[in-house]
């Protein structure tokens, strides 16, 4: 078979073994003596020094016989056929997937890897032993609950009892560090992911033992049952999602034990032959024929070159004729070829190693059939990947560096790289493993103690005290911190070496210059990379299908580094292109169908819906026509969207999963970490692409689109040509004509953004847990040290316990601080922060360019907005305090651009998804919490600020009003009455020592945005009534819900039987309370900024709004201030989850509103507010007195008595309420006391007939036309805000007129 694309003109057939008719001619290639010496040097190096006359001349005629003699092996090395004494079962040992299992399991397709998929599944091997000494190895890929060992065929297991829980079954459990045989005792030491457990059984002595990473753990069990019918199977029981891989001998044992035999015999004869042939091959590389001078020249292997000499080629042909079949076997690839290549990498420089590997690969492709090379390369990469992932972390990371250097050397070979990309790296292997740097679980084994001998941790808690602690840092602490930082830098430099090698791998995969004789590597990579993203996007929630997030984080950072390097290299060669700093995704990629976004949601909804509704905009703006057949197909899809067709359901990857069984289906994806395989996924999704036009397009021509699968795309579909713009086809007029860079790099960048959205952000948040653990242990250590200082010397027992605790906390902190250094170097370094920051800026530019396209903005996938929001959150919350976002280049500008996007799009009608709209709202709410980001909102253009405030003031109905209200509250906090606290004051008074109490950010009100709000409420007559009516409606609902819930909580607490209140109910109750407080604060802000809305009765809705407000305020006061009432009793219970429920937050909010109405308002307005408040039937002066701790109103003309210490009083919160504010409350109380007395003296008895029949609180003052029914003005005005029908007869109300009893009575009498 011809070997294509290897860079040579030779084929295997050209150098086949010679025939008899050619012998005479062949021996004349070089002089016979030189050929004889050369062949003896290659094939019999031990006889080179022998006198020439004493040996048989060697040439190509007798070389086959000589090789056969050379490759003969002793009888004991021949592989045994049939049964071996002491062993029963197949010679190829695998897991018994047909009957030797219990529970639900996922089994790899090589039947050596297994994942637990039930409570405690058990599986055994197909082969057992009854005599002799035997060993097998288990690779631990997850460190959870597992019991590994041996069992007999009579052992019966279930979902609760596994290996070691029954008679005649024995197990080691490294998770709990115990051994099991019905009973359990301590044994061994803890295992970690990547460890190798060796299970040894000696049936001659009746003992069983285990080793961990080659270190014996000692004899675990003795006096094993032996005799007729007693044979032991390797077996394992493992819990849900735990995974391992067995090596019974199909690969070389990592830690062979003298005297113990693997269950599966290694191919000893083939191994001996392969090693001898490798020796011959090495000799070829080290010897050069000098035909001119007739001598042999010794050379370094790295200097050897294949120059087409017939003698050398025929020699190699003889070697590979016998070597090629052996190189297809897993055992021999790992034991022989891998060892040889790794030796070349370890012994020489990278250049020398690359030369040797390139020559070897050239020869493999030249002298072996393609299918033989394919099998060999596949096994080679699988072994490399396994070694890289599971090798122990050593201080200089030398093992990982050697494996990566060998990987790079292999991938530098063009033909090998393209084959591996097309068939292995993404289809068979989990290539993302190559970009992962695993975290050492055992600090001492990773050498971190030597790298970081001095440990340090922050000696302060949270809540922004770090800066204060830094000033108080002692000289010793400063010295320790600097030593720790130097150690971290040493670690970081070593990790950067590995990261640079990983980036080199990706640069090779992104090579687009190797298109000689086939497709360039980059375009193969793009196809595989898109499928990788599709599988992870479509498989979210199906854990076995997902790439682990920790792999995805490392993969993303290496991909960004390689991408930016390629991008800037292209810029260097093409000055018209853009730098990577200016990168973004052009908007046409989102709608021209060239890139498949699977079933990911677009901003405007489903793609099929957008293509139907926006087809005219696509045609007019971008000259793109949707193929009518596509529209018809999507219409049919919409009709059947609730019914999944049978083929689609059948294509879903079911993996090797069955109730009560395990099936040998394809590898189960990302959780099958032991074998590093992946499932054969059959996810079908149509990639919308463009028909390739056959001639240049004029600007007015339209292009029809049709669907193409991702695999059918060519380089031209991506990069385009002089008449086809590829991915950029359909450029809108707003976009520049000059391309940014190569289109293929744009697709890689789009994939990087998607990767961050899939799982990277989640993992970044998860890794912060290490820093949180350090803070918690540091706090515990400080508390212990404080107790040691306070403990009396005579209490030696307590001192001993405290000293012991201090030692435990110190050791744990030493471990965690070193682990934190590793996390900071691999996840949270400055370079990683710059990667995420670059991704944020890419998303911002992409959103800005997409926004300019108008309605076509709806085609943008939602994840671009999500990544912009989440990456900013990660930069702000996850990378500190080591690195600050404020130090990033262009920080202020980026903050302002993100603020403009949030302000514009949180209420954008083009965005229809509920989740993304909520995310935008929450992001804006978080943005206005912090001074630096709030200032960014204030820096956006004025028209955008006003539009944002207008959207916030829209009526609360039919929208997520709670988030909107939080935004308005945060603009006000710091300006309201007693509203300057960062922690809820009542919590600090009850438990001041608790550092984990709910806290708020330091107040940072925005007077600029408050002014915009005031202007809008004044200038637009329709905004204020609708906004305030919705706020009052929501306040009425929230507080009513809160009262109803605390009634249920109180009833549950009073029951005699023991009971528990649902935590979810407590959370909802607290949320309703917080909503009520925030709504009251919004009302306070509105009254403070625009009091005339309530007090200027020339406006048609002012009186009605004021009466509704007074009614709600009185209801809140009465509920909260009543003596020994429901609110008091629930607050006294101090239930977990209701910490924020107290008198202070809600009463100061109500007080702020009353002070603004009754003290700060104009005289006429104060009089109106007072009359409305007193006229409300729910008004009680006692509630106002409660604010100052007085049970009853003071007598007229007397001073206020001192408040009762046991009662609530605003005077007790002098740290949060100023003297001026207290004076205003006293002034308000005096005013209401006086006005109440005057109103009581002047009030006249009212007949029941004259009272409003709706509220029975106010006299009738309005009559409805045309029906003539009557009520008070407040009731009818409130009713007409939501309904135009008469309250009584349902007739449509045309007008409302004033009604006075006296006037109507006189009119009636005169008529009579």
């Amino acid at each position: 078979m011809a070997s294509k694309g290897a860079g040579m003109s030779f084929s295997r057939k050209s150098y086949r073994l010679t025939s008899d008719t050619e012998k005479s001619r062949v021996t004349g290639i070089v002089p016979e003596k030189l050929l004889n010496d050369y062949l003896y040097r290659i094939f019999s190096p031990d006889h080179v020094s022998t006198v020439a006359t004493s040996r048989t001349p060697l040439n190509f005629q007798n070389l086959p016989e000589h090789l056969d003699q050379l490759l003969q092996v002793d009888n004991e090395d021949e592989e045994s056929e049939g049964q071996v004494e002491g062993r029963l079962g197949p010679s190829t040992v695998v897991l018994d997937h047909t009957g030797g299992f219990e529970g639900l399991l996922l089994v790899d397709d090589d039947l050596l890897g297994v994942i637990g998929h039930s409570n405690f599944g058990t599986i055994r091997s197909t082969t057992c032993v009854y005599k002799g000494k035997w060993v097998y190895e288990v690779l631990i890929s997850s460190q959870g609950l597992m019991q590994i060992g041996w069992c007999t065929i009579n052992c019966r297991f279930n979902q609760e009892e596994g290996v070691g829980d029954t008679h005649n079954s024995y197990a080691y459990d490294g998770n709990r560090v115990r051994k099991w045989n019905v009973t359990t005792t301590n044994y061994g030491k803890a295992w970690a992911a990547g460890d190798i457990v060796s299970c040894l059984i000696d049936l001659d002595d009746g003992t069983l033992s285990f080793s961990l990473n080659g270190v014996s753990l000692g004899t675990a069990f003795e006096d094993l049952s032996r005799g007729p019918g007693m044979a032991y199977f390797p077996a394992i029981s493992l819990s849900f999602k735990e995974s391992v891989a067995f090596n019974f001998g199909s690969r070389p044992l990592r830690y062979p034990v003298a005297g113990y035999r693997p269950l599966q015999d290694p191919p000893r004869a083939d191994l001996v032959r392969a090693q001898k042939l490798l020796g011959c091959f090495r000799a070829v590389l080290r010897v050069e024929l000098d035909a001119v001078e007739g001598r042999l020249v010794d050379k370094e292997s790295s200097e050897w070159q294949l120059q087409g000499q017939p003698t050398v080629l025929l020699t190699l042909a003889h070697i590979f004729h016998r070597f090629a079949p052996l190189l297809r076997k897993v055992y021999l690839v790992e034991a022989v070829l891998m060892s040889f290549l790794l030796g070349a990498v370890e012994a020489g420089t990278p250049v020398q190693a690359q030369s040797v590997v390139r020559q070897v690969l050239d020869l493999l492709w030249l002298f072996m059939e393609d299918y033989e090379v394919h099998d060999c390369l596949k096994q080679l990469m699988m072994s490399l990947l396994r070694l890289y992932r599971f090798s122990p972390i050593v201080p200089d990371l030398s093992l990982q560096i050697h494996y990566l250097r060998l990987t790079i050397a292999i991938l530098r070979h063009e033909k090998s790289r393209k084959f591996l990309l097309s068939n292995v790296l993404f289809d068979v292997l989990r290539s993302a493993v190559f970009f992962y740097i695993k975290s050492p679980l055992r600090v001492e084994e990773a050498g971190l103690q030597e790298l970081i001998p001095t440990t340090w941790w922050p000696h302060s808690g949270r809540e922004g005290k770090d800066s204060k602690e830094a000033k108080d840092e002692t000289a010793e602490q400063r010295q320790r911190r600097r030593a720790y930082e130097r150690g971290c830098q040493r670690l970081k430099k070593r990790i950067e070496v590995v990261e640079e090698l990983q980036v080199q791998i990706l640069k090779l995969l992104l090579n687009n210059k190797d298109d000689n004789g086939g497709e360039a590597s980059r375009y193969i990579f793009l196809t595989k990379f898109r499928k990788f993203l599709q599988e992870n996007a479509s498989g979210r929630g199906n854990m076995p299908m997902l790439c682990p997030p920790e792999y995805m984080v490392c993969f993303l950072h290496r991909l960004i580094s390689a991408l930016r390097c390629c991008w800037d290299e292209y810029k260097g060669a093409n000055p018209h292109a853009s730098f990577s700093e200016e990168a973004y995704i052009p908007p046409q990629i989102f709608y021209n169908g060239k890139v498949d976004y699977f079933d990911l949601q677009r901003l405007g909804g489903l793609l099929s819906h957008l293509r139907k509704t926006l087809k005219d905009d696509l045609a007019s703006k971008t000259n793109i026509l949707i193929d009518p057949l596509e529209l018809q197909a999507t219409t049919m899809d919409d009709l059947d969207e609730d019914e999944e067709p049978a083929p689609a359901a059948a294509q879903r990857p079911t993996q090797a999963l069955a109730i009560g069984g395990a099936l040998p289906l394809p590898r189960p994806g990302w959780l099958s970490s032991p074998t590093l395989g992946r499932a054969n996924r059959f996810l079908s999704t149509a990639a919308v692409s463009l028909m390739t036009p056959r001639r240049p397009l004029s600007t007015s021509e339209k292009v029809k689109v049709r669907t193409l699968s991702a695999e059918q795309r060519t380089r031209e579909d991506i990069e385009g040509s002089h008449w086809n713009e590829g991915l950029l086809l359909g450029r809108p007029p707003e976009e520049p004509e000059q391309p940014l860079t190569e289109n293929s790099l744009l697709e890689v960048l789009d994939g990087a953004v998607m990767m961050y959205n899939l799982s990277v952000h989640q993992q970044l948040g998860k890794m912060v847990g290490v820093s949180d653990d350090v803070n918690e242990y540091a706090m515990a250590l400080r508390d212990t040290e404080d107790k040691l200082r306070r403990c009396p010397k005579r209490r030696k027992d307590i001192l001993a316990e405290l000293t012991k605790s201090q030692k435990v906390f110190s050791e744990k902190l030493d471990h965690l601080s070193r682990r934190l250094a590793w996390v900071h170097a691999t996840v949270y370094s400055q370079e990683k922060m710059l990667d995420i920051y670059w991704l944020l800026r890419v998303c911002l530019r992409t959103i800005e360019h997409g926004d300019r396209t108008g309605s076509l903005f709806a085609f943008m996938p939602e994840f671009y907005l999500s990544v912009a929001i989440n990456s900013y959150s990660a930069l702000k919350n996850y990378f500190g305090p080591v690195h600050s976002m404020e130090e990033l280049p262009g920080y202020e500008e980026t903050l302002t651009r993100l603020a403009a996007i949030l302000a514009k799009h949180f209420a954008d009608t083009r965005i229809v998804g509920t989740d993304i709209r909520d995310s935008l709202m929450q992001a804006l709410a978080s943005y206005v919490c912090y001074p630096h980001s709030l200032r960014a909102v204030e820096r956006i253009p004025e028209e955008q600020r006003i539009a944002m405030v207008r959207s916030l003031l829209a009526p609360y109905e039919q929208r997520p009003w709670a988030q909107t209200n939080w935004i308005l509250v945060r603009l006000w906090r710091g300006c309201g009455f007693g509203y300057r606290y960062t922690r809820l004051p009542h919590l600090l008074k009850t438990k001041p020592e608790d550092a984990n109490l709910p806290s708020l950010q330091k107040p940072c009100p925005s007077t600029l945005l408050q002014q915009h709000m005031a202007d809008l409420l004044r200038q637009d007559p329709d905004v204020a009534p609708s906004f305030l009516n919705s706020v009052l409606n929501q306040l009425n609902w929230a507080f009513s819900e809160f009262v109803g819930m605390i009634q249920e909580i109180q009833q549950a607490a009073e029951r005699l039987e023991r009971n528990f209140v649902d935590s979810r109910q407590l959370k909802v109750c607290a949320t309703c309370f917080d909503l009520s407080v925030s709504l009251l604060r919004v009302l306070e802000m509105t009254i403070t900024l625009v009091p005339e809305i309530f007090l200027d009765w020339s406006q048609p809705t002012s009186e009605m709004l004021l009466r509704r407000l007074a009614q709600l305020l009185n209801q809140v006061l009465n509920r909260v201030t009543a003596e020994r009432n429901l609110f008091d009793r629930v607050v006294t219970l101090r239930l977990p989850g209701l910490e924020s429920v107290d008198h202070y937050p809600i009463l100061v909010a109500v007080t702020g509103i009353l002070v603004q109405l009754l003290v700060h308002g104009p005289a006429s307005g104060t009089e109106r507010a007072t009359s409305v408040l007193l006229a409300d039937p729910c008004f009680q002066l006692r509630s106002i007195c409660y604010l100052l701790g007085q049970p009853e109103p003071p007598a007229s003309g007397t001073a206020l008595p001192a408040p009762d210490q046991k009662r609530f009083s605003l005077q007790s919160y002098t740290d949060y309420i100023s003297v001026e504010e207290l004076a205003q409350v006293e002034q308000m109380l005096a005013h209401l006391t006086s006005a109440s007395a005057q109103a009581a003296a002047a009030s006249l008895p009212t007949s029941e007939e004259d009272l409003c029949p709706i509220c029975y609180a106010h006299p009738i003052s309005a009559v409805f036309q045309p029906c003539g029914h009557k009520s008070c003005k407040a009731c009818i005005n409130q009713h007409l805000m939501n309904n135009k029908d008469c309250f009584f007869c349902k007739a449509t109300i045309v007008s409302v007129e004033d009604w006075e009893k006296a006037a109507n009575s006189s009119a009636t009498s005169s008529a009579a």
Side-chain angles (χ1 to χ4, degrees), residues 130-181:
Y130 61 90
K131 181 181 179 181
K133 298 180 179 181
W134 303 90
V135 62
Y136 71 92
E137 290 182 344
V138 180
L139 172 62
I140 306 296
S141 68
S142 63
Q143 59 190 29
L145 179 59
M146 293 179 281
Q147 293 173 199
I148 302 171
W150 304 81
C151 72
T152 65
I153 198 168
N154 295 321
C155 294
R156 294 293 176 260
F157 305 114
N158 54 44
Q159 294 289 300
E160 303 298 329
E161 294 182 341
V163 180
D165 296 327
T166 65
H167 291 287
N168 296 325
S169 69
Y170 306 88
Y172 161 51
D173 175 2
N175 177 260
R176 292 174 288 190
V177 195
R178 305 183 76 81
K179 61 180 180 179
W180 298 80
N181 175 234

Side-chain angles (χ1 to χ4, degrees), residues 588-596 687-690 705-706 708:
Q588 55 265 44
I589 288 180
F590 303 134
Y591 56 74
N592 66 15
K594 288 285 189 175
V595 177
D596 183 11
V688 180
S689 188
L690 297 175
V705 299
R706 64 181 178 86
L708 286 176

Side-chain angles (χ1 to χ4, degrees), residues 394-569:
V394 295
D396 59 355
L397 299 172
S398 57
L399 296 176
Q400 284 72 21
I401 289 173
H402 289 150
Y403 301 143
L404 289 175
R405 283 178 57 193
L406 177 54
T407 304
I408 291 171
I410 294 172
L411 292 177
R412 284 191 188 280
H413 189 267
E414 180 180 322
K415 188 170 183 180
S416 301
R417 177 174 67 248
K418 289 185 178 180
F419 163 72
L420 291 171
L421 253 178
S422 299
N423 303 283
V424 178
L425 289 182
F426 287 90
D427 297 273
V428 178
L429 300 183
R430 306 191 316 158
S431 55
V433 172
F434 277 125
F435 313 114
Y436 176 54
I437 303 178
K438 67 178 181 180
S439 176
L441 296 176
R442 298 193 185 97
V443 170
E444 63 278 2
E445 294 180 11
L448 293 186
Q449 290 176 334
E450 291 75 21
L451 273 178
I452 310 174
T454 304
T455 58
W456 173 87
W457 49 86
H459 291 269
S460 66
R462 301 175 190 174
E463 305 305 327
K465 297 180 183 177
D466 290 337
S467 59
K468 181 178 181 298
E469 281 289 334
K471 297 177 183 177
D472 300 338
E473 192 177 42
T474 65
E476 181 184 359
Q477 290 173 345
R478 188 181 305 110
Q479 186 177 0
R480 286 191 63 182
R481 175 172 57 81
R482 291 175 178 172
Y484 176 73
E485 289 172 352
R486 288 193 296 271
C488 293
Q489 284 301 315
R490 289 193 293 270
L491 174 64
K492 182 182 175 185
K493 287 180 180 178
R494 296 189 178 185
I495 289 175
E496 284 174 348
V497 175
V498 177
E499 293 177 344
E500 178 55 35
L501 292 173
Q502 293 170 332
V503 172
Q504 287 184 34
I505 292 176
L506 275 170
K507 287 181 182 177
L508 290 171
L509 301 184
L510 290 175
N511 184 358
N512 69 334
K513 303 295 190 297
D514 57 347
D515 53 355
N516 298 324
E519 195 173 12
S521 298
R522 181 183 296 176
Y523 305 102
I524 305 174
F525 172 80
L526 278 179
T527 300
K528 302 299 181 180
F529 182 49
R530 210 68 198 175
K531 289 181 66 177
F532 167 82
L533 295 173
Q534 177 184 353
E535 291 159 0
N536 282 274
S538 304
R540 301 180 79 178
N542 181 14
M543 288 304 297
M545 295 294 295
L546 295 181
C547 173
E550 59 270 23
Y551 290 19
M552 197 78 90
V553 171
C554 295
F555 189 10
L556 174 65
H557 286 299
R558 310 305 174 265
L559 184 63
I560 289 176
S561 298
L563 169 62
R564 296 193 66 178
C565 182
C566 295
W567 192 301
D568 290 331
E569 284 178 0

Side-chain angles (χ1 to χ4, degrees), residues 944-1070:
Q944 292 187 22
R945 294 198 305 268
I946 294 175
M948 178 190 75
V949 175
R950 186 183 296 277
S951 298
L952 292 172
L953 295 180
Y956 280 4
E957 286 78 11
Q958 307 301 323
R959 60 193 294 243
W961 59 271
Q963 294 96 321
T964 304
N965 201 71
W966 291 124
I967 296 174
L968 293 174
V969 166
R970 287 163 181 172
L971 299 179
W972 176 246
R973 192 161 60 84
C975 296
F977 183 92
Y979 201 32
R980 292 172 292 278
Y981 51 82
T982 55
R983 287 187 178 278
L984 293 172
H986 68 278
L987 290 176
L988 291 179
K989 291 183 69 176
T990 55
K991 297 164 69 178
E993 74 284 355
D994 192 346
N996 296 319
L997 296 176
S999 63
L1000 302 170
Q1001 295 299 323
K1002 186 177 179 181
C1004 53
S1006 172
T1007 54
L1008 178 62
L1009 296 178
Q1010 289 176 18
Q1011 188 57 48
H1012 288 326
M1013 176 179 173
D1015 294 341
L1016 284 171
L1017 290 174
R1018 284 194 186 97
Q1019 296 167 7
D1020 194 328
D1022 298 326
V1023 171
S1026 58
F1027 168 67
L1028 289 171
N1029 182 60
S1030 60
V1031 171
L1032 293 169
N1033 286 342
Q1034 301 302 341
L1035 175 60
N1036 183 41
W1037 171 85
F1039 191 72
S1040 299
E1041 287 292 314
F1042 168 71
V1043 171
M1045 288 183 184
I1046 61 174
Q1047 287 175 345
E1048 296 177 8
I1049 293 171
Q1050 174 64 21
Q1051 291 170 3
E1054 289 178 347
R1055 296 194 189 111
L1056 296 177
E1057 66 272 12
R1058 181 181 177 85
N1059 59 86
F1060 299 93
V1061 181
D1062 186 2
S1063 59
R1064 289 175 297 179
Q1065 184 180 10
L1066 295 174
K1067 185 177 180 180
V1068 172
C1069 179

Side-chain angles (χ1 to χ4, degrees), residues 902-923:
L902 295 176
K904 180 172 185 179
H905 297 300
F906 84 96
D908 193 338
T909 56
R910 295 172 294 182
I911 301 175
V912 301
T914 304
D915 291 341
I916 190 63
R917 290 174 69 91
D918 286 348
S919 297
L920 287 166
M921 187 78 76
Q922 292 168 10

